[in-house]
Structure formats: C-alpha cells, structure tokens
Amino acid sequence: MSTTDYTKPELVCPAGNLPALKAAVDAGGDTVYLGFRNASNARNFEGLNFSCEEAEEGIRYAHSRNAQVFVAVNTSPGPRNAADWTSSVDMAAELGADAVIISDIALLAYAKEKHPNLRRHLSVQASAGNYEALEFYAREFGIRRAVLPRILTLDAIREICSKSSLEIEIFASGGLCVMAEGRCWLSSYVTGDSPNMHGVCSPAHAVRFEEENDRLDVKLDGMLINRFAPGEAAAYPTLCKGRFEAAGKQGHVMEAPYSLNVLEMLPEIFAAGVQGLKIEGRQRNKHYVRTVVSTWRAAVDACAGDPDGYAVQKEWMTSLAATSEGGAHTTGAYEDAWR
Amino acid sequence: MLKLKVLPQPEVFLQLLPGFLQVQVLESLLGRIFTSDRQTCLQPLSGKLFLFRTPDGEIELFMHVDRQGLHIQARADEAPDVTICGDLLALTALCLGLEDTDTLFFSRRLLLTGDTSTGLMFKNILANLDFDLRAELDQHLGRRAAGTLWRMAAQATGAVAFLDQQLAHAGIAVGEKFGLSSAEKVKALKMELCSLSEEHAALKQQLERRPRPVRSTQAA
Amino acid sequence: MNRLIPEAAMKIAIGPLLFGWPEAKIREFYLSMAEESDVDILYLGEVVCSKRSISGVEWQLKLAAQLQESGKEVVLSTLAMPTTERELQFIRDLTAAAGEMGLTIEANDMASVAVASRLGVEFVAGPHMNIYSHGTLQQMCRNGAKRVVLPLELPAKDIPDVVGQSDVEVEYFAHGHLPLTFSARCYTARSHGLSKQECRHVCFLNPDGIEMHTLDDHDFATINGTQIMSHRPFTAINHLAELAGFGVRTLRLSPQASGMPETLHHFRAAADGLLTGDAALNALTGGAPAHDCFCNGYYHGRQGRVWIEA
C-alpha cells in the first residue's frame, strides 16, 4: 500500500444534546451531527435532541473551534406534517449548519431550491448502496457526500469510492443496524411506530423490562423479544437483535447485539478514499461521546501519521468494548464472512 | 463546566464518605442541582412518581416533580410510575450524570422497570445538564472538606487507574469489571487501597463529628 | 364497507414473488396466473436475493415474452438492494430489454430509477421507495414513475393526502405476507447453519418461508432469505370500496404457494361489488375468525401484526 495516497477522513461524531456536542468537539471530533426535537430525524427519543437555541449555541461552539456541524433531517416527510421537515431544513440553513443530511427526494429537491448553498448529504436512511443510485442523487439533487449503508462489504465500499464523484462517509463505530436503514418496518410491525414516519425504532413507550430472579425479560408492545440470563450484558430492545425461535432453535435468529468497530480496518479504509468516519450514538451521553471520540481521534491520527506501521492499541479496544452494546464488537458486514 | 481531566471516579469519592452522608449527598445534590432555573427542564416529568432503590432494598427514595420543582421523600402512598434499581454508585452516576448511563444499563448495574418512556425522558434530561459538581460539593460540605475530599479522590483515582492497569496486564480485561464476580473483586481491591490512606481515615472521623446537616429538601 | 364499487373496476396485479422458489415452479405459477381472467397485471422478477436468479436475465425475459402473449400487462421487477456490478448490470440489461419489449420495470431501488430514467423507460415505483408524502410522489413522477405502490406501513386514510391531485396510478399492497426488511445476511441460510455465500439455495425448501416465534411460543414473523416478513398475511379485502374512495386503482396480491387462484377470485368478486367486503373476507378465511388468519394493522395506522375489526 502506498503511503502517499492516504486521505485522513473526518471524524463525524454524534451529538444528542449540547453537553455531548461540546464533549465531541473537545475530544477532537472534526464534525458533529445533530437533530432537532421532532420526527424529522431518526433518533426522535424523549428528551433528546436540540432546540433551535441549543443548536445555535452548539454551532457557535463548534465553529469557534474549527469543527463542523451537520443537521440530520433524515426521515420521511409525512402526508400531513411535511412542514416539520422543510422547516427543519430552513432552520439548519438559518443557523449556519455546514450540511443537512437528508434521505427523502422531495426534501432534497426543496433544500436544493431553497438553500442552494447549503451542502446536502445523503443519509444512510436512503439505503443507497451502489454507484448508480449515488450518481443519480448527485446529478438530480446535487448531493456532495453520501453515508453508505452499513451492510456493504469493504470491497463494495472501495468500488464505490473509486467510481463515484461523491465524498463517501461510512459508519465506523457504535450500534450496528443489520437491516437496510430506511427500509425496515420491523418496529412499526410490532409497535406501530417506525423510523421513517416517526423517527424511532423500538420506541420507549412500547418497551417493558421485567426482572425475575435476576433474569431480565424485555417486552415490546407486550411481546417477549429477549431474555437475558443473570449477569449477562443487556442490549437495546430492538427486534433485529432479539432472541426468538426458528427452525427448532432458540437464539439470536437475526443478529446478536455486537457493536461496530472498524479500528482493524483503518489503513484499508484510508486507502479506499473514505472521507468521513461516522460514529453512531446520538442517544448516548457526553461521557460515551468523550471516550469514543478521543479513542477514535488517537487511532485516526496514529494511522494517518504512519499507515504502514499502524497497529490497533489494546486500550482503544477496551475503551470501546466497555461502552458498547453487547460488550463486544465486530467489523460487521464490512467483512463478507459475516453474511 | 466539569473539569473532566481531574474528575475523580464517582465511586471513589462517594465511598470515601461515611454511610449516612452518602444518601444525603445524593439527595441534596439532586435538590441543589435542580435549582429553579433548571427545573423547567424537569416539567415533562410532572405528575410522575419515581422510585430509586438498591437491590437489597436498603435505600429507597421517591422523587416527583410538580410546578414547585423536584421533591424527594422516603415514602410514598402510590405505586411509582418508574422504578430504577441499582447499587448506590450506579444510581449516583445516573442522577449526577457522572458516567455513561447506557453502559450502566448494558452491564446490568441499573434496571429500569415501569414506564420506560418516562424513565428515558428522565435519563435524557439529566444527560442534557451541565453543572459544576465541585462547586455543588463545596456548597454542601463546605469548601475545605469538599476540597480535601476532591483531592483525595483524585489521588485515589490515580491509584485505581494504576491498579486497573496492573489487572489489565495480568490478563483481566477492564471491560470485564462489569461482570458480576470480577466487579466485586475489583471493587474490594480498590476499597482496600482507599482505606489504607490515613488522611482518609482522618477526614472520615472529622465528618462523623460534624452535626448532621438539616435536610434542605422536603421530606415525607 | 358493503356498498358496490363505483365506476372503473379496480385492476388486480400479481406482485413479484418474494419467496425463493425453483425456476420451474415460478414459471408454472406465472403461466397459470396469466390464464386467469381476473388478473390484469403480472410483476415478474427477483426483488429479494440475486442468488435466486440462477438462469439470469434471459430466462426472465423469455418468460416475460410468454406472459405478454396472454394480453396481461407485464412488469419486470428489479432487485431491492443491488450492491454488486453484476446486480447493477442485471438491472441495466433488464431495463433495456423492457424498453424494447414495451414493458415497464418495477423500481425497488434508486439504481433502477436511475437506469430507467437514463434509458427513457417508464417505471413503477415499488413499495420500498418510501412515498409517504405528496411532495415525494410528485418527485418520483417527475423522475418517470407511471405508477406508484404505497409504503406498506402508510395508514390507508393518508392515501388521499399522498396522492393529492396527481393522476399517477396508485397501487396498494392488498394481500400477502408483508415484506418488512432487507438485509445483507441471509436468515434462511443462517437457520440452516449456513452462510449466504454457501447457501445451497436452501430457501427453495421453504416456499412459504420459515416461521419465527417468541421464546414464550407466540407467533412473531416469517423468515424469507435476507428478508423478514409478517407472520400472517396481510389482507384488505374487506376495505376495497374505501380504498377505491381513497384513489387506489390497482390492488397487489403477493404470490403464495397455495390458494392464489381462490384468493384472486374472491378479490375480483369483491372489487367488482359482487361480494361485500365481509363476505369476501369470510370466503378467504373459510369461516375462521379473521384475526387467526390475517393481519391488517397497517391499514389502520396501527401495529402491522394486529387485526383490527372494521
């Protein structure tokens, strides 16, 4: 691998609230991404996200420290409340955000027309996993960057980077969505609320934790979706990572709750020309953000400084594993064998 | 703003306090932190009753929010809407926003039963706070005691970090400290370390001799 | 609702087969559906997993030509999550051929929209194209959609707001197992202890998918290769008059291994007003309670898996 062709990707860090935003910037994040308090973004949880004033302060804080802010308006505008989405885009422009992250084509068209100078990024919710789709979005809607679905292999990512005119951002760390995002109706099938329409997956109102002799049962809309043995690490109450029975076997029929962590693959990711490393976790607090961002900062700087001599440090792995769902990590779909 | 670099691990400073003070610190810090200008952020929790308890039932605190603000009491007439069960340190970490709280749930140190939506709202409201813990402690314990406590806790934190490193080199992954049996061992070792300090013993004596502070929050 | 359907009769479409069947079985199924007078449109093509397209584009085009001879409208369905060059080329070849044959394609990914619009071929926007608002519908039409299939989770009462004054044809997924997700991992292979790479086409052994239950023995979902589907089929057979009132002109019946001809006939009778909605539903269930046989929560804007009495 040539040592001259490496692009140092941006660290794009989650900010579920203002303290987390500041923690991310202070820990060395190049960019933070946030959402407003409505269904226009896919982490529409109670008490999370930014008011206009908080967003304004966050943008000021980030910009004064040479960090960027992207605003996620990445769910699907609804039949009667599409104004929540367009007004969120307007607000992002007004507050001086560096980009909006969008998946819906009508919203992309709106942003392009109303705010031509506001950078448009394609959200992972658009599930655009091939360069035909990506070039179409680039041509029609003038997007400059796309966040790739987490279900692509590194080979596929490499190919897209080489063929596409766009900047490419990939998820590097945190919660792993095993289904194509923006095309998953599992949550609404069980709870009535979905990421596309309501900005939530496994909404808290449908979740119940019940303990019996140290065994933890997790129910979603009254349906048992997981059972944790005494002492076993718990996970978010999502269906894709639940325990079920199929073909006579019980267990994680779909996916076990591991978190994504591509530290091992950094040199290859650099060489592929990836522009952004996205860290998942807007629902996490400032301590998680500080730990994870500072770990990734160290790793990315180490790799950029000496890509051929890069080696994953043990303390990075333990820091990330300690905060991750399931307590373990995987490179996920980036490796073929996972399928 | 929290000066994160010198923040001692919460379990260390809290365990340096004598038992009766541990609960009081939690209670009144909650009351102090949620000063009137912060209490508007608590309004989404209005009308909901929270119960914080330890698994052995030794500590039980009820909390509710109304237009006057946050109220903490030892008893309640109604069933709680949300129950959060965990060891004292985990509860403190949650309420004072001292640690990543989802990690506490994943590692089974905290359990949320009842109305999950309200519990999540509570967790997120707390996560949105930025306050100066050192200044709050100063007010509660007095500047000198708080300062000594803070300094000792920072020292103990250094010792604990050293111990963690030793354990890591010995092949025990730090991540495993959240597993039940390993956590007990590590905690015990850490506390032995802390209890060796003479200064710690002296401070504990001093605090024992102080008159118990009048509770500044409402009691049932 | 029990009134007769007014004006133009609704069209009935046999949707693309979502399950994994051997090609001979697929051929037999579609040829038999082409013989049915109650069918207006046939969607043919692999949407879920490209490994199932063993004989490639030629096989699909040959069958499409045969189906065309029956006089039905034939639509070539495309893959929902193409990621490899091979899969993209398949879509290009299919779309080019569709253009030559005077057919449309069903786009289930923006790649297909891109290819169709480049080659000047009209397309049907499939149910996974996320048309939840009027603005999105208009944008999709601007890109070349001549028909749109609405998202399965969109409440039926929202259909008029999404459609607005547009004269695009509106299709509704009216019967069949609900396709809920797409993934890179194959869950059928996984349940047989295999990976997607070495799958040996085990999905062909489960023409109705594999049932998934909760740990305490309740029904949950169906595994279909890289896709998770509803446990029970969805049906809106008892709401056709209302759907017509909302602007729906085409009803999609998603293929199943058994009972399709009967399902088709009951739908046609109900759509033509020869059977009331309740009678049609009863005919489908064979007298059994509807909540034991079907789900319809999505129609009512509720949890997809429940059955709501009209």
Side-chain angles (χ1 to χ4, degrees):
Chain A
M1 266 185 245
S2 161
T3 53
T4 56
D5 294 352
Y6 281 66
T7 337
K8 182 168 159 179
E10 266 171 56
L11 269 184
V12 183
C13 313
N17 52 45
L18 198 50
L21 182 152
K22 293 178 177 176
V25 171
D26 291 347
D30 300 295
T31 305
V32 291
Y33 64 101
L34 58 87
F36 293 117
R37 271 191 200 127
N38 54 37
S40 73
N41 74 92
R43 284 282 184 276
N44 184 25
F45 292 122
E46 300 86 325
L48 201 66
N49 296 319
F50 286 69
S51 66
C52 298
E53 294 75 27
E54 286 165 338
E56 189 174 23
E57 193 190 327
I59 290 172
R60 201 181 325 128
Y61 189 91
H63 284 172
S64 70
R65 288 156 178 81
N66 290 321
Q68 295 182 105
V69 178
F70 299 163
V71 176
V73 193
N74 58 353
T75 55
S76 300
R80 273 184 298 280
N81 58 354
D84 281 353
W85 279 257
T86 50
S87 64
S88 295
V89 171
D90 294 337
M91 183 57 63
E94 192 183 312
L95 296 178
D98 298 284
V100 274
I101 311 173
I102 297 176
S103 70
D104 178 75
I105 52 177
L107 200 60
L108 279 171
Y110 174 86
K112 181 178 174 199
E113 199 199 309
K114 275 301 188 57
H115 308 284
N117 297 324
L118 176 61
R119 233 175 187 254
R120 293 172 292 287
H121 290 187
L122 190 67
S123 169
V124 70
Q125 291 276 114
S127 244
N130 57 75
Y131 71 88
E132 282 274 11
L134 291 168
E135 292 312 292
F136 181 79
Y137 280 109
R139 249 185 352 259
E140 292 292 314
F141 306 106
I143 61 160
R144 302 285 303 280
R145 182 185 294 198
V147 184
L148 297 184
R150 279 175 271 207
I151 58 175
L152 296 183
T153 60
L154 187 56
D155 280 340
I157 292 169
R158 201 177 281 128
E159 174 152 341
I160 286 172
C161 286
S162 69
K163 286 189 167 141
S164 177
S165 56
L166 296 170
E167 293 169 14
I168 295 299
E169 190 172 295
I170 64 169
F171 276 93
S173 182
L176 181 70
C177 214
V178 296
M179 306 300 178
E181 286 175 79
R183 302 203 217 183
C184 183
W185 294 323
L186 276 178
S187 177
S188 64
Y189 175 64
V190 174
T191 71
D193 289 340
S194 78
N196 286 354
M197 297 183 72
H198 310 97
V200 286
C201 177
S202 291
H205 70 77
V207 175
R208 285 293 176 270
F209 296 107
E210 289 167 11
E211 208 181 38
E212 210 178 293
N213 300 323
D214 286 339
R215 184 191 78 192
L216 180 63
D217 281 359
V218 185
K219 291 191 174 161
L220 198 62
D221 198 52
M223 194 181 86
L224 182 66
I225 68 166
N226 213 333
R227 198 157 253 179
F228 295 102
E232 185 195 347
Y236 286 120
T238 55
L239 288 155
C240 51
K241 309 213 185 117
R243 280 196 174 94
F244 301 99
E245 178 276 327
K249 284 173 280 197
Q250 290 193 345
H252 295 292
V253 176
M254 292 175 276
E255 183 66 60
Y258 289 101
S259 290
L260 182 66
N261 171 354
V262 301
L263 282 174
E264 291 165 17
M265 297 170 111
L266 269 189
E268 292 146 288
I269 289 170
F270 275 41
V274 167
Q275 235 99 356
L277 292 172
K278 192 157 190 170
I279 298 171
E280 183 274 339
R282 283 197 290 130
Q283 74 284 1
R284 307 295 292 265
N285 72 14
K286 66 191 172 202
H287 299 286
Y288 167 86
V289 170
R290 183 179 358 108
T291 302
V292 173
V293 172
S294 53
T295 302
W296 275 94
R297 179 78 274 150
V300 167
D301 289 346
C303 190
D306 180 16
D308 294 322
Y310 172 80
V312 178
Q313 302 300 301
K314 207 156 168 219
E315 59 261 23
W316 299 341
M317 294 300 250
T318 45
S319 288
L320 293 182
T323 58
S324 71
E325 184 182 20
H329 48 266
T330 179
T331 44
Y334 296 139
E335 290 187 303
D336 251 318
W338 174 82
R339 288 151 192 250
Chain B
M1 274 297 290
L2 287 171
K3 291 211 176 66
L4 300 170
K5 285 201 181 82
V6 300
L7 179 70
Q9 287 183 341
E11 55 260 47
V12 177
F13 87 73
L14 199 63
Q15 282 187 327
L16 292 173
L17 295 172
F20 79 87
L21 211 53
Q22 290 180 4
V23 175
Q24 283 207 19
V25 166
L26 178 61
E27 271 189 290
S28 55
L29 274 179
L30 267 180
R32 284 174 186 282
I33 285 159
F34 288 97
T35 53
S36 53
D37 58 333
R38 287 184 185 134
Q39 277 173 1
T40 40
C41 72
L42 292 176
Q43 288 313 308
L45 305 175
S46 272
K48 300 288 185 183
L49 183 64
F50 287 76
L51 167 61
F52 300 98
R53 57 185 294 271
T54 49
D56 55 15
E58 274 218 25
I59 293 172
E60 279 200 353
L61 286 176
F62 288 86
M63 180 191 91
H64 75 273
V65 174
D66 62 26
R67 237 177 273 117
Q68 278 77 51
L70 181 123
H71 307 279
I72 297 170
Q73 56 219 46
R75 267 180 292 281
D77 292 325
E78 293 147 9
D81 297 288
V82 180
T83 301
I84 302 180
C85 180
D87 58 83
L88 182 63
L89 304 178
L91 290 175
T92 313
L94 169 70
C95 293
L96 301 184
L98 300 173
E99 264 185 61
D100 171 55
T101 43
D102 283 6
T103 308
L104 293 171
F105 286 106
F106 294 154
S107 60
R108 309 284 293 274
R109 287 180 62 202
L110 279 180
L111 171 66
L112 194 161
T113 51
D115 177 356
T116 312
S117 176
T118 303
L120 182 63
M121 173 71 85
F122 175 67
K123 186 201 90 159
N124 284 332
I125 288 174
L126 290 172
N128 201 18
L129 290 180
D130 247 342
F131 57 90
D132 189 339
L133 180 60
R134 173 66 195 273
E136 305 288 345
L137 280 173
D138 280 353
Q139 285 210 318
H140 187 89
L141 298 175
R143 287 199 65 187
R144 287 186 70 184
T148 311
L149 185 72
W150 194 268
R151 204 172 46 252
M152 290 180 49
Q155 281 175 0
T157 297
V160 165
F162 176 75
L163 177 64
D164 281 346
Q165 226 183 33
Q166 299 303 309
L167 291 175
H169 286 146
I172 304 169
V174 170
E176 277 174 15
K177 78 181 178 185
F178 293 122
L180 282 179
S181 62
S182 305
E184 295 315 308
K185 285 185 200 139
V186 170
K187 260 201 299 197
L189 280 169
K190 283 184 192 177
M191 285 325 300
E192 255 202 73
L193 199 80
C194 294
S195 69
L196 288 174
S197 161
E198 283 176 14
E199 240 195 296
H200 162 244
L203 175 68
K204 253 196 157 162
Q205 266 194 347
Q206 240 182 60
L207 289 171
E208 293 282 355
R209 283 200 296 264
R210 268 177 76 172
R212 299 191 179 203
V214 172
R215 283 155 72 125
S216 54
T217 54
Q218 289 185 22
Chain C
M1 303 244 356
N2 289 337
R3 60 180 173 81
L4 296 174
I5 318 288
E7 293 149 28
M10 286 225 200
K11 291 199 252 178
I12 293 183
I14 302 297
L17 171 69
L18 300 175
F19 294 103
W21 294 357
E23 280 168 349
K25 190 178 161 99
I26 299 176
R27 206 178 125 77
E28 191 193 321
F29 174 83
Y30 277 94
L31 286 174
S32 75
M33 286 291 118
E35 298 298 307
E36 296 277 355
S37 57
D38 292 340
V39 172
D40 299 293
I41 305 167
L42 294 165
Y43 285 85
L44 176 74
E46 181 56 42
V47 174
V48 179
C49 178
S50 61
K51 290 194 73 181
R52 293 168 175 172
S53 304
I54 296 171
S55 302
V57 180
E58 288 311 316
W59 178 87
Q60 187 176 352
L61 293 174
K62 192 162 162 222
L63 179 54
Q66 268 185 290
L67 297 174
Q68 246 186 326
E69 281 165 26
S70 66
K72 310 292 182 197
E73 180 191 335
V74 178
V75 180
L76 300 176
S77 287
T78 57
L79 204 63
M81 282 289 300
T83 57
T84 67
E85 182 57 33
R86 196 149 167 259
E87 288 165 345
L88 290 176
Q89 195 56 44
F90 196 106
I91 291 173
R92 290 180 204 121
D93 293 341
L94 210 66
T95 308
E100 282 164 26
M101 293 163 75
L103 302 176
T104 49
I105 62 159
E106 183 196 30
N108 290 306
D109 185 86
M110 211 51 93
S112 297
V113 174
V115 172
S117 107
R118 187 165 69 234
L119 299 179
V121 174
E122 281 188 317
F123 65 91
V124 176
H128 307 285
M129 299 308 285
N130 288 347
I131 300 172
Y132 291 91
S133 71
H134 185 60
T136 310
L137 181 135
Q138 284 181 305
Q139 189 62 44
M140 198 58 79
C141 292
R142 232 170 264 137
N143 289 129
K146 73 152 206 181
R147 184 185 299 141
V148 300
V149 187
L150 298 168
L152 274 44
E153 63 173 9
L154 182 77
K157 66 170 169 53
D158 289 337
I159 294 174
D161 287 307
V162 176
V163 176
Q165 296 306 311
S166 174
D167 56 9
V168 73
E169 272 180 63
V170 178
E171 183 172 322
Y172 187 78
F173 188 107
H175 192 91
H177 281 89
L178 300 165
L180 300 171
T181 69
F182 292 97
S183 173
R185 178 174 278 206
C186 178
Y187 302 112
T188 300
R190 189 168 152 86
S191 76
H192 284 90
L194 301 164
S195 74
K196 185 176 168 185
Q197 269 137 317
E198 325 272 332
C199 72
R200 304 184 214 154
H201 299 102
V202 285
C203 53
F204 293 172
L205 300 173
N206 304 107
D208 299 312
I210 299 172
E211 286 189 6
M212 212 187 333
H213 303 102
T214 63
L215 294 180
D216 57 356
D217 265 324
H218 289 109
D219 300 330
F220 169 44
T222 303
I223 295 171
N224 171 32
T226 57
Q227 175 167 87
I228 304 295
M229 305 176 101
S230 59
H231 179 78
R232 296 196 176 86
F234 169 93
T235 194
I237 198 172
N238 54 329
H239 291 290
L240 300 187
E242 194 173 50
L243 282 170
F246 290 151
V248 172
R249 282 292 165 267
T250 304
L251 303 169
R252 171 173 293 199
L253 310 184
S254 195
Q256 284 175 265
S258 55
M260 273 315 277
E262 293 77 26
T263 302
L264 172 63
H265 300 148
H266 296 317
F267 260 89
R268 174 51 68 201
D272 290 349
L274 301 173
L275 271 183
T276 63
D278 291 338
L281 180 61
N282 211 45
L284 270 188
T285 68
H291 63 78
D292 280 344
C293 310
F294 299 113
C295 64
N296 70 355
Y298 279 153
Y299 184 91
H300 301 275
R302 300 275 306 274
Q303 307 94 312
R305 68 196 168 113
V306 304
W307 175 264
I308 309 283
E309 296 292 340

